[in-house]
Amino acid sequence: MPVITITLIEGYEADFKSSLCKTLGNVAKTYTGAPPDGVTVMVNEVKAENYMRAGLHRQTGPPPLDARDIVKTFLTAMQQSDLDASKKYLHENFEMTFPGSVTMQRLEELIDWAKHRYQSIGKQYERFDRVFEEENSIVYCYGTLEGKWLDGSSFSGIRFIDRFVVQDGKLLNQQVWNDLAETRT
Amino acid sequence: MPVITITLIEGYEADFKSSLCKTLGNVAKTYTGAPPDGVTVMVNEVKAENYMRAGLHRQTGPPPLDARDIVKTFLTAMQQSDLDASKKYLHENFEMTFPGSVTMQRLEELIDWAKHRYQSIGKQYERFDRVFEEENSIVYCYGTLEGKWLDGSSFSGIRFIDRFVVQDGKLLNQQVWNDLAETRT
Amino acid sequence: MPVITITLIEGYEADFKSSLCKTLGNVAKTYTGAPPDGVTVMVNEVKAENYMRAGLHRQTGPPPLDARDIVKTFLTAMQQSDLDASKKYLHENFEMTFPGSVTMQRLEELIDWAKHRYQSIGKQYERFDRVFEEENSIVYCYGTLEGKWLDGSSFSGIRFIDRFVVQDGKLLNQQVWNDLAETRT
Amino acid sequence: MPVITITLIEGYEADFKSSLCKTLGNVAKTYTGAPPDGVTVMVNEVKAENYMRAGLHRQTGPPPLDARDIVKTFLTAMQQSDLDASKKYLHENFEMTFPGSVTMQRLEELIDWAKHRYQSIGKQYERFDRVFEEENSIVYCYGTLEGKWLDGSSFSGIRFIDRFVVQDGKLLNQQVWNDLAETRT
Amino acid sequence: MPVITITLIEGYEADFKSSLCKTLGNVAKTYTGAPPDGVTVMVNEVKAENYMRAGLHRQTGPPPLDARDIVKTFLTAMQQSDLDASKKYLHENFEMTFPGSVTMQRLEELIDWAKHRYQSIGKQYERFDRVFEEENSIVYCYGTLEGKWLDGSSFSGIRFIDRFVVQDGKLLNQQVWNDLAETRT
Amino acid sequence: MPVITITLIEGYEADFKSSLCKTLGNVAKTYTGAPPDGVTVMVNEVKAENYMRAGLHRQTGPPPLDARDIVKTFLTAMQQSDLDASKKYLHENFEMTFPGSVTMQRLEELIDWAKHRYQSIGKQYERFDRVFEEENSIVYCYGTLEGKWLDGSSFSGIRFIDRFVVQDGKLLNQQVWNDLAETRT
């Protein structure tokens, strides 16, 4: 039964609108429990000259990046040990927490800390989830780790999960859990 | 700039509508990057007699429970070792995965497995996050564990995170990560 | 896919609105060929004080009678030989055409004409159909005739169809076809 | 007072939309008794990428043929004794009823039956009316017959009426009444 | 042709909404040149719980006073020489300009100035006009003056016009023109 | 909080729509006292083929001139002593009232009357205000006069105000107040 209309200034890509409709529909469906056929979402596009708020016409710029894509790009840069690229995605108040409640602010700290745990590590991602909040987006991703222990032996298939808080296109917070200790033991 | 109108058959509680508006607004704000003042959400309520789809009027029942509340109720029942109550929330295809990639289907298995890891355990929750999908809701919660090791010594402040897939009001899947092994080592 | 919203000043009965929605939905479905689930019709009711056209608020009176009901009431009065009641439903320009292209203006003419065809007659209605036009409504009804021939013998099950033009709640035109001649022969 | 908005995926012809608006307006005017100036109908066209139901974008194909045009095409083919063309318009459950309650399923039966009634026959149509139903469209047409009796003499101006039930673009039912017997007698 | 819908949180008086509709309709009619019957204005009222902007529900208080009524009340208090009441309507930056480009800030100055022009004065108002601006309302009123000259002789029917700028319910500016000098000469 | 949607047949210039939105927004803001950010105005443009009133599609011609522009053009023509051009803007019932309650119908009368007051006159405009009414537009303009007295001496900076009633693009009424007498004295 929910019929949603969202009015936007024209200019967004079809994929963007499709994803937006999908998400709005999922929200409405989840809240109301309506059957799929009962959920209709429509985008009403108006020219910028046909929309006025506070007495001013508005322009749309490119929409913000999907927080999941920001996270993915950061993770890829980290995987490639490209610290400069990685740092571009960090909020000035960035903080990360790793297993054992180890809290760090700088990527260099992380690298030092990791040296005592494994020679190398890589991530296979199973899934990225996004949570919509008023100020931030939260991204969860999980999958498995593979790499080499300090003694040179290999590991793989070790479960991990990351939780990121993304604000204004930057990572504000990263929390990491994994089964490395479980497995190492 | 996004102006969202959602038409609902009347009868929903104010809190429900407020939460729905908030979430729809968060989605629109996140997608478009509009400033807060630019996001308007309105609920257009119609009587059941004023709404017809496929030639039929529709009735609204009580909306489904928030998946976070389902998870919370389940976790409380588990905390209280109330297996009967806990099982009511399990989907017939329920599966859970615990640190070390231990996969189980039945709560009794979990209890047996846990006996070899700690005498008792409790959870302090920091936060519950909800992800909206077409068929399921996904709930993440994280916080810290406290309890007694097998040798009787106490532990607390050990980080954990759970990921639940909720379908039709039942838990379909639970995945657990925590720092127990990290700490125990 | 068609989503229809009709704004009405509040005050109409639920049955009226339901019938209106059904008809609008049937029209949209027929025109577009949309599947039933794709046709949504909503009535948006506004208070008279919230509606203004040409600078004036408007009031709704009781809606006009369904032209099919006008026809039914007329036919019932005719069946009961209640000429006074029947005449109340006739437009001042009423004209009727009977088998053999016999055209008459007054019910008395019809009665005289019928005297030479049968002693008595009654109608069993199978169905009433309504056609929506800008100025008029057109009503078709068909079914079977039963009665007594002039020689006193009985007849029944003889097919007939009537076509009425209804304007401003009055019958403007009636056309009658039937198998009486076919059967009598 | 009724203001109707119908949202359609864009792509329909102007004539199609004009006819749809006209019919929706006629329905609203007939139901409410509003004055002509009080009936406004607007088509709100959205791109397919701006419409989503059940999580899916929809495409519009060409709209179904007007049931009156289907009937006209069938009647023309019959007039031209083009049985093959005529049969294309018949539903597999087609049934027709002619004066005297003669019921037939196949056009060949009709031709045989007619041979005993007249040498040839043609129809002049005065009008086609369409009734909108949920599953079917009903078409009425009437006018006059002209042709040659079995004895070779001519006839013309004999009233007839046909009633067709059209389903999924095919004729499901035809009922025929006329004054042939009246006149022949 | 213009169809205007204004969505308001419910709670406004019928007279308020009627006046608002009238003014919006006049604006639309003046801009477009549409015939009266072509201008439709509808108020869509939503409960406060059904409206959210910037993530917050909004409440409506009593609407601001009509600037014409503020001017009228001020003028009445002045007529009654009630300086205390009159001053309540003055903005802290109030300035007034009288014939001869005499500019004053305080009502006492005006009274002193007037003492040299007439013994007493009163106003008959013919009309109040209101102009809508983004920050202010502008009110024009005109009519005739009557009173006594300094020599005790009477005058009446002398044309005047006032222009007021009203901001946040206070008079920011008053400009006065009249024919006193013309007549006095 | 007010959200205004105005549906127009497409074809208006961006400036026209912008001005219309601004004025509608100012009206809504003034009536409700909403903060600027709370006032949204949207133009919903439909093709002529998508709009039907009273069963007819409508066309939009060029919108009427802004009454302020009509007044400005008239005043410019008067300033240039172009009587023929000036007269084109006069309604057949035009009447003007000048200081001293002098009422005239023809521009020639005005010129004769003025000859006895000054040799020449010009206007500097400070501002034009427009009032929206159902049938007419009212325009106020004010500023200062400059010119030569009958004795050849110059004057300038003398305040004036004009009030015009504009109907169907013509001036129906002009009222003039100024400080000429005040200054001359």
Side-chain angles (χ1 to χ4, degrees), chain B:
Chain B
M1 144 217 61
V3 178
I4 296 176
T5 301
I6 178 167
T7 298
L8 295 176
I9 292 174
E10 70 182 10
Y12 290 105
E13 301 287 337
D15 282 355
F16 172 86
K17 292 182 293 184
S18 189
S19 172
L20 173 56
C21 285
K22 191 95 173 183
T23 304
L24 292 172
N26 286 348
V27 168
K29 186 175 177 303
T30 301
Y31 266 86
T32 62
D37 273 327
V39 182
T40 302
V41 186
M42 294 179 282
V43 179
N44 176 34
E45 288 186 287
V46 295
K47 295 178 191 167
E49 71 193 44
N50 288 350
Y51 178 89
M52 186 177 272
R53 191 166 55 80
L56 297 171
H57 292 294
R58 308 286 165 150
Q59 300 297 329
T60 57
L65 291 175
D66 184 331
R68 292 171 299 190
D69 291 333
I70 294 168
V71 166
K72 285 175 191 172
T73 311
F74 168 75
L75 289 169
T76 300
M78 283 297 285
Q79 189 72 28
Q80 296 166 345
S81 302
D82 185 344
L83 278 202
D84 287 345
S86 303
K87 286 178 180 172
K88 286 181 189 159
Y89 297 96
L90 302 187
H91 192 281
E92 58 177 349
N93 298 324
F94 176 69
E95 193 173 77
M96 54 193 153
T97 306
F98 275 71
S101 296
V102 177
T103 299
M104 297 166 278
Q105 280 77 34
R106 297 173 48 252
L107 298 181
E108 287 81 357
E109 292 175 81
L110 171 61
I111 289 165
D112 281 351
W113 175 78
K115 274 182 190 158
H116 300 283
R117 296 175 63 90
Y118 37 74
Q119 277 186 32
S120 69
I121 201 157
K123 283 173 166 174
Q124 299 288 341
Y125 301 100
E126 191 171 326
R127 191 184 166 98
F128 286 77
D129 284 324
R130 175 166 50 156
V131 179
F132 296 93
E133 301 228 302
E134 198 155 359
E135 295 302 324
N136 307 319
S137 288
I138 293 162
V139 176
Y140 288 94
C141 64
Y142 64 90
T144 55
L145 301 172
E146 60 200 11
K148 285 197 175 163
W149 294 120
L150 292 176
D151 64 5
S153 63
S154 293
F155 61 87
S156 69
I158 296 179
R159 297 162 64 251
F160 80 93
I161 185 166
D162 287 3
R163 179 185 193 273
F164 293 91
V165 178
V166 183
Q167 188 174 87
D168 298 330
K170 303 278 189 184
L171 307 183
L172 186 61
N173 189 271
Q174 179 184 15
Q175 284 172 278
V176 176
W177 294 259
N178 60 47
D179 285 0
L180 279 179
E182 186 76 33
T183 314
R184 196 173 54 215
T185 316

Side-chain angles (χ1 to χ4, degrees), chain E residues 94-166:
Chain E
F94 176 69
E95 193 174 75
M96 54 193 152
T97 305
F98 274 72
S101 296
V102 177
T103 300
M104 296 167 279
Q105 280 77 34
R106 298 173 49 250
L107 298 181
E108 287 82 358
E109 290 176 83
L110 171 61
I111 290 165
D112 282 350
W113 175 80
K115 274 182 190 158
H116 301 282
R117 295 174 63 92
Y118 39 73
Q119 278 186 29
S120 68
I121 201 159
K123 283 172 166 175
Q124 300 288 342
Y125 301 100
E126 191 171 326
R127 191 182 165 98
F128 286 77
D129 283 326
R130 175 165 51 155
V131 179
F132 297 93
E133 301 228 303
E134 197 154 359
E135 296 302 323
N136 307 318
S137 286
I138 293 163
V139 176
Y140 288 94
C141 64
Y142 64 91
T144 56
L145 302 171
E146 61 200 11
K148 284 195 175 166
W149 294 118
L150 293 176
D151 65 6
S153 61
S154 294
F155 62 86
S156 69
I158 296 180
R159 296 161 66 250
F160 81 94
I161 184 166
D162 287 4
R163 180 185 192 271
F164 293 91
V165 178
V166 183

Side-chain angles (χ1 to χ4, degrees), chain C residues 19 31 100 127 129 133 140, chain D residues 19 31 100 127 129 133 140 179:
Chain C
S19 172
Y31 265 86
R127 193 185 165 95
D129 284 325
E133 301 228 302
Y140 287 94
Chain D
S19 171
Y31 265 87
R127 193 183 164 98
D129 284 325
E133 301 229 301
Y140 288 94
D179 286 0

